[in-house]
């Protein structure tokens, strides 16, 4: 190998895998495992799930990493099961119980009457056991050192909040919410609102942005696919890059508009919306990236894939 030549660290793989994350591992741990299975050079995820959590975790391969931020910013949904009468230092079953209380007087009607207060816009103070950073250090690392720092409340939006199941030991909720929502905090706050304690014992993400649970592939399915068909078979499980923004307005460009956009120039596109973000399709019906409407009505390129013509 000549001096200065970069070592090949993996295959060029482009696309999105909807992974069914297993419990008991971090999002990064399972990402690295899947990356090795694919032999891929570049993979990123679109928002961490707690080690306890399972479910939809979109993984972006290669060029798809350019669009991971839009998935990170999207709404998500969860089914959460919580245990009454106990508070833990992490707000979930992975932590240590720090406080207990009686569960006498809890009723389904009492819980249901409290839920409307947590729908719509609410504020949350992030847990010390979160990935938010304080002076460059993740809060959870500080928490493990026994340290606590002041955290500002953050505004989030609870799109949907429904009670699925209830008894005096556990309750289960369906939650659809904006990015940055901490389900552990939500469970704790709901319990406190009715004079009790609770922590998360099960958490499953059922959708994230445009991706739903039925699309998710388990690690076991990936392993079987690799064994039977190798990398070629695994690649067939990837969704196209465009799937990350399929819910956006779509504009089809002429050959000349595509050329100018590819060179960083805003263009006029007939039928474009007045504002917002758009999915861009080239003259050969290939996905070329995303753009944003400017105040002057022109479409400006924002993220373009590099392998389009």
């Amino acid at each position: 190998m000549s001096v200065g030549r970069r070592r090949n660290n993996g295959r060029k793989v482009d696309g999105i895998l909807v992974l069914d994350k297993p419990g008991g591992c971090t999002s990064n741990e399972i990402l690295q495992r899947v990356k090795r299975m694919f032999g891929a050079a570049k993979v990123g995820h679109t928002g961490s799930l707690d080690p306890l959590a399972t479910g939809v975790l979109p993984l972006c391969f290669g060029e798809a990493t350019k669009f991971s931020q839009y998935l990170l910013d999207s709404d998500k949904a969860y089914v959460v099961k919580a245990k009454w009468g106990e508070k833990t230092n992490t707000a979930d079953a992975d932590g240590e119980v720090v406080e207990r209380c009686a569960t006498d007087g809890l009723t389904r009607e009492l819980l249901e009457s409290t839920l409307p207060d947590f729908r719509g816009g609410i504020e949350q103070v992030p847990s010390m056991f979160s990935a938010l950073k304080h002076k460059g250090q993740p809060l959870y690392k500080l928490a493990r050192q026994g340290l606590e720092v002041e955290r500002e409340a953050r505004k989030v939006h609870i799109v949907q909040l429904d009670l699925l199941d209830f008894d005096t030991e556990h309750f289960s909720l369906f939650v659809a919410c904006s990015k940055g929502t901490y389900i552990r905090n939500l469970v704790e706050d709901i319990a406190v609102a009715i004079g009790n304690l609770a922590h998360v014992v099960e958490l499953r993400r059922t959708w994230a942005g445009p991706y739903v649970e039925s699309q998710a592939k388990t690690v076991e399915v990936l392993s079987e696919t690799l064994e039977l068909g190798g990398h070629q078979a695994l690649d067939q499980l990837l969704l196209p890059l465009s799937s990350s923004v399929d819910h956006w307005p779509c504009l089809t460009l002429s050959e000349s508009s595509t050329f100018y956009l590819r060179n960083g120039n805003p263009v006029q596109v007939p039928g474009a919306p007045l504002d917002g973000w758009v999915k861009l399709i080239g003259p050969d019906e290939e996905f070329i990236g995303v753009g944003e409407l400017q105040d002057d009505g022109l479409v400006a390129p924002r993220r373009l894939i590099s392998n389009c013509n």
Side-chain angles (χ1 to χ4, degrees):
M1 178 182 294
S2 62
V3 176
R5 179 177 295 179
R6 296 180 61 184
R7 190 175 65 180
N8 182 8
N9 289 320
R11 298 191 302 134
K12 187 182 186 309
V13 182
D14 297 316
I16 296 172
L17 176 73
V18 185
L19 178 70
D20 189 338
K21 177 193 172 294
C25 63
T26 68
S27 295
N28 188 60
E29 286 170 347
I30 197 62
L31 179 149
Q32 295 302 329
R33 182 177 174 186
V34 172
K35 181 180 180 181
R36 289 192 296 271
M37 293 172 70
F38 274 82
K42 186 177 183 181
V43 191
H45 63 67
T46 56
S48 296
L49 283 171
D50 293 336
L52 172 144
T54 65
V56 175
L57 181 65
L59 301 182
C60 295
F61 288 73
E63 287 288 300
T65 57
K66 293 180 178 179
F67 308 99
S68 60
Q69 183 61 45
Y70 310 124
L71 295 174
L72 182 63
D73 291 342
S74 64
D75 288 355
K76 300 171 179 67
Y78 303 85
V79 171
V80 57
K81 182 178 181 180
K83 178 177 173 59
W84 289 114
E86 292 181 349
K87 177 179 180 177
T88 72
N89 62 342
T90 60
D92 63 23
D94 286 340
E96 298 177 1
V97 176
V98 294
E99 189 177 351
R100 289 186 171 88
C101 71
T103 57
D104 300 339
L106 289 173
T107 65
R108 187 183 189 100
E109 291 72 24
L110 178 60
L111 178 54
E112 287 187 324
S113 69
T114 304
L115 295 184
D117 294 337
F118 292 89
R119 297 184 180 120
I122 65 171
E123 289 193 344
Q124 290 187 325
V125 177
S127 167
M128 277 300 299
F129 284 87
S130 69
L132 288 179
K133 291 185 177 180
H134 174 75
K135 295 182 178 179
Q137 280 282 343
L139 290 181
Y140 66 83
K141 289 189 176 181
L142 298 176
R144 289 170 184 166
Q145 298 170 31
L147 302 176
E148 184 167 353
V149 298
E150 187 174 348
R151 289 96 64 203
E152 291 186 3
R154 294 159 44 129
K155 291 183 178 180
V156 297
H157 191 82
I158 307 300
V159 180
Q160 186 175 344
L161 178 62
D162 298 325
L163 180 60
L164 301 178
D165 199 13
F166 172 88
D167 59 45
T168 54
E169 291 188 12
H170 300 93
F171 65 98
S172 297
L173 302 168
F174 172 80
V175 185
C177 55
S178 66
K179 70 167 185 176
T181 302
Y182 289 98
I183 305 300
R184 292 173 295 165
N185 293 46
L186 180 65
V187 163
E188 277 195 329
D189 292 345
I190 289 172
V192 168
I194 59 175
N196 213 272
L197 302 170
H199 67 272
V200 171
V201 292
E202 295 177 13
L203 180 63
R204 182 165 180 81
R205 186 189 282 167
T206 57
W207 54 262
Y211 303 114
V212 297
E213 192 173 18
S214 61
Q215 297 172 296
K217 309 299 181 186
T218 64
V219 174
E220 290 75 20
V221 166
L222 298 180
S223 297
E224 292 173 5
T225 302
L226 178 62
E227 184 176 349
L228 293 174
H231 287 150
Q232 184 176 2
L234 274 182
D235 291 350
Q236 297 303 308
L237 301 179
L238 297 175
L239 298 176
L241 306 181
S242 60
S243 65
S244 62
V245 291
D246 271 350
H247 53 304
W248 289 9
C250 181
L251 293 180
T252 299
L253 306 175
S254 66
E255 188 171 339
S256 62
S257 292
T258 300
F259 172 82
Y260 285 113
L261 271 175
R262 293 287 297 153
N263 284 280
N265 300 303
V267 297
Q268 184 77 46
V269 182
L274 297 178
D275 55 26
W277 291 74
V278 289
K279 172 183 174 182
L280 302 173
I281 302 296
D284 296 328
E285 298 188 358
E286 81 279 17
F287 174 64
I288 66 170
V290 299
E292 184 179 15
L293 270 295
Q294 299 182 152
D295 292 339
D296 59 6
L298 299 181
V299 179
R302 291 294 182 246
R303 291 287 186 274
L304 303 181
I305 60 176
S306 61
N307 59 348
C308 61
N309 298 319

